[in-house]
Amino acid sequence: MKKYIIPMLFVFMVFNLTCLAQDEIPPHIKENITYPVLDFHPWVGVMPIKDPVMKYNPELDYKIAIDLYGRVKDSTEIQSAILEVARTYNLNIANGVPAEKIQIAAVIHGGLVQAILKEEDYQKKYSQPNPNLAAIKALEAVGVKFYVCGQSVRFNNLNAENLTPMVKMAVSAKTTFITLDQMGYSYLNVSDD
């Protein structure tokens, strides 16, 4: 029996990772997932929860500083950290937070700056359109502010002219997070690197 457990576990893990990698949603999720506002990708949805605690509190400000870093893992897909920004927005809406009470600042740094190249530069680097730009535009439309670490941009031998103008250049991610913290934003790391 023991000799079968490891191979079975391996097959199960490969199957689940394959489903996630191919954006296939398992039936138990597909039948229940909802998209309160943003629906540009299957994995930005929210599973309904019956009688949850920690619901929306009108006395609180929902200000979130989201940390986006890593590298471009698949140039044909929207980067997972950007998808998590959309999911964070949808989760707050699903939790009853009115859109006008949600303030999200997404801070991009490290090699992930390649994901925000303007169309021509992305085409030159990856030989295809930039799938992240439509997601950033949809997020910007609901009020998400995007910032990029100027240090990461320069360390990657890039300039502001190489990047989408939807993302604003800061001196660094560190100074941006410090400033956002002083402004009352809660830090949230959604990157998987």
Side-chain angles (χ1 to χ4, degrees):
M1 178 71 171
K2 286 184 181 178
K3 69 179 182 179
Y4 295 110
I5 292 175
I6 303 266
M8 287 173 45
L9 185 60
F10 179 76
V11 169
F12 176 76
M13 287 175 33
V14 169
F15 174 77
N16 283 331
L17 290 174
T18 302
C19 285
L20 292 175
Q22 295 175 354
D23 296 330
E24 293 177 18
I25 297 181
H28 74 281
I29 296 175
K30 195 174 208 171
E31 294 165 3
N32 294 295
I33 200 165
T34 64
Y35 299 88
V37 175
L38 300 165
D39 63 356
F40 58 79
H41 191 278
W43 289 110
V44 302
V46 175
M47 294 295 281
I49 305 299
K50 186 178 179 182
D51 301 322
V53 297
M54 302 296 287
K55 292 281 289 175
Y56 164 63
N57 180 340
E59 295 177 20
L60 300 178
D61 291 321
Y62 289 79
K63 298 165 76 172
I64 310 150
I66 303 182
D67 196 351
L68 307 168
Y69 60 87
R71 61 183 175 80
V72 173
K73 294 178 184 158
D74 180 349
S75 62
T76 66
E77 297 287 335
I78 300 169
Q79 299 306 295
S80 62
I82 294 172
L83 293 176
E84 285 300 320
V85 175
R87 190 154 191 278
T88 300
Y89 184 87
N90 274 344
L91 284 165
N92 277 281
I93 294 291
N95 197 36
V97 182
E100 62 273 7
K101 292 279 282 184
I102 301 170
Q103 295 179 49
I104 296 177
V107 182
I108 300 166
H109 60 105
L112 200 59
V113 298
Q114 302 291 338
I116 58 170
L117 291 173
K118 67 181 179 184
E119 196 62 62
E120 308 85 77
D121 290 293
Y122 199 89
Q123 283 271 5
K124 191 184 300 181
K125 182 169 182 66
Y126 297 111
S127 302
Q128 63 186 31
N130 187 342
N132 302 291
L133 298 181
I136 292 169
K137 185 173 185 167
L139 287 160
E140 185 182 54
V142 297
V144 174
K145 306 279 190 246
F146 283 89
Y147 303 97
V148 63
C149 171
Q151 302 304 300
S152 295
V153 170
R154 296 302 292 135
F155 281 131
N156 279 274
N157 199 27
L158 298 169
N159 291 300
E161 297 78 34
N162 302 116
L163 308 177
T164 175
M166 292 182 285
V167 179
K168 306 303 179 218
M169 180 102 56
V171 169
S172 71
K174 289 175 178 62
T175 58
T176 303
F177 283 121
I178 291 166
T179 302
L180 290 168
D181 179 70
Q182 298 297 309
M183 294 168 63
Y185 281 73
S186 296
Y187 174 83
L188 179 62
N189 181 351
V190 298
S191 298
D192 55 10
D193 275 354

